[in-house]
Amino acid sequence: MAAPRKILILGGSAEARELAERLTPRFDVTTSLAGRVRNPAVPAGALRVGGFGGEAGLRKWLSDNAVDAVVDATHPFAATITENAVAACDRLGIPHLILRRPPWPAEDATVVSSAAEAKDAVMARGFSRVFLTSGRSSIGAFLFSDAWFLIRVVEPMSADELPERHHLLLSRGPYTVAEETELMRQYEIEVLVTKNSGGTMTSAKLDAAAALNIPVVMIDRPALPERVSTVSTVDEAQRWVIERDTAEV
Ligand code: NAP
């Protein structure tokens, strides 16, 4: 019997974990994580943690490990690893798929394309109590502001990375609409800032904001690379891997 085909899943999302669970043990699956979170949920199959060392490092890793196919199931805002994976797979001729959950409908949100634009949108309307849920890399844009911030991130941050007036919440979701509503009420939130991450794990804040008539500033996703196969569900990604397996055996 032939050895199971080697699949690298670029992880860091719930979809990546779900895909690893479904493909193991039929495939020899390794999930790769950047290592940003101290106690990540452990996926099925093998796990490697830490950057590869740019596109060249990723290419070397793919060759050294004789990877047959790559599924990029990273978070929609993880643009660098996605670009590196496109380039590395292209150069090595390795089949490559991007799995991206669909974006949230922006509805009445103010859509911006960066954290700096989000800050401008918040300040232009004079909001003074801001719920920042857009991730640690976006907090810097709000550093020198007179507003007060409720900041929710997964990992601790140091005082010099945070605006002067804030309360820091460390948590990871999922959240319910009731919890999010209570939180926004408790802290008298006037505006919610979020990335357009999509998915159900953290979408309750949008329903809570709508119910409380709290405006939303939504940071739009980076564009996907061109000419790369992309799917939006774990089902489709699983099918893609299986189809390649049956076609090539
Ligand atoms: P990024 O900007 O695209 O990547 C920065 C660098 O981190 C990459 O160049 C790569 O280092 C390393 N890296 C990223 N993802 C990796 C992975 N899955 N395995 C190995 N190395 C990885 O990514 P990011 O926005 O910092 O996100 C880092 C990770 O957190 C991603 O896996 C993503 O799925 C997850 N995440 C991100 C967000 C977000 O909002 N950005 C939210 C939730 C989860 P080298 O160049 O050295 O290879």
Side-chain angles (χ1 to χ4, degrees):
M1 208 170 83
R5 299 179 83 77
K6 292 193 173 182
I7 311 296
L8 175 67
I9 298 177
L10 296 169
S13 66
E15 290 80 3
R17 285 191 298 281
E18 173 72 26
L19 184 63
E21 181 72 40
R22 293 200 201 176
L23 295 180
T24 307
R26 170 165 173 180
F27 296 90
D28 179 352
V29 175
T30 298
T31 296
S32 175
L33 298 178
R36 305 273 193 277
V37 177
R38 266 172 303 166
N39 293 308
V42 178
L47 176 65
R48 71 160 297 287
V49 180
F52 293 95
E55 187 263 326
L58 174 57
R59 209 167 354 114
K60 179 172 185 320
W61 196 96
L62 292 171
S63 297
D64 290 352
N65 290 278
V67 169
D68 293 300
V70 174
V71 180
D72 173 355
T74 54
H75 187 275
F77 281 79
T80 308
I81 188 73
T82 290
E83 270 177 34
N84 289 348
V86 172
C89 291
D90 234 24
R91 290 179 73 172
L92 293 171
I94 295 178
H96 168 245
L97 181 76
I98 296 179
L99 165 57
R100 280 292 178 283
R101 63 177 87 122
W104 292 319
E107 291 175 346
D108 297 331
T110 301
V111 177
V112 296
S113 56
S114 66
E117 283 183 22
K119 184 225 170 194
D120 291 345
V122 166
M123 298 310 149
R125 292 172 65 185
F127 294 118
S128 60
R129 295 187 70 81
V130 185
F131 187 13
L132 266 189
T133 65
S134 43
R136 61 187 300 127
S137 62
S138 68
I139 313 287
F142 293 85
L143 263 190
F144 305 105
S145 156
D146 295 335
W148 180 92
F149 297 90
L150 177 62
I151 297 174
R152 186 165 67 193
V153 286
V154 176
E155 294 290 323
M157 296 182 70
S158 59
D160 61 342
E161 297 175 291
L162 296 163
E164 195 177 334
R165 302 175 60 228
H166 72 270
H167 177 69
L168 187 65
L169 282 180
L170 300 180
S171 75
R172 169 183 310 195
Y175 311 101
T176 66
V177 178
E179 286 163 350
E180 298 289 60
T181 306
E182 176 51 29
L183 194 66
M184 290 189 217
R185 272 213 185 102
Q186 183 190 348
Y187 287 98
E188 298 172 7
I189 295 302
E190 296 172 356
V191 62
L192 166 69
V193 179
T194 179
K195 290 188 210 174
N196 192 340
S197 297
T200 53
M201 291 265 287
T202 60
S203 59
K205 61 189 170 189
L206 300 174
D207 295 331
L212 294 169
N213 263 324
I214 291 174
V216 176
V217 175
M218 193 177 279
I219 305 174
D220 209 2
R221 295 175 170 198
L224 278 169
E226 287 172 11
R227 298 187 314 278
V228 178
S229 306
T230 305
V231 296
S232 58
T233 64
V234 176
D235 277 350
E236 291 168 292
Q238 180 182 12
R239 217 174 304 133
W240 182 87
V241 173
I242 290 172
E243 275 167 9
R244 307 207 85 73
D245 191 39
T246 31
E248 289 173 26
V249 164

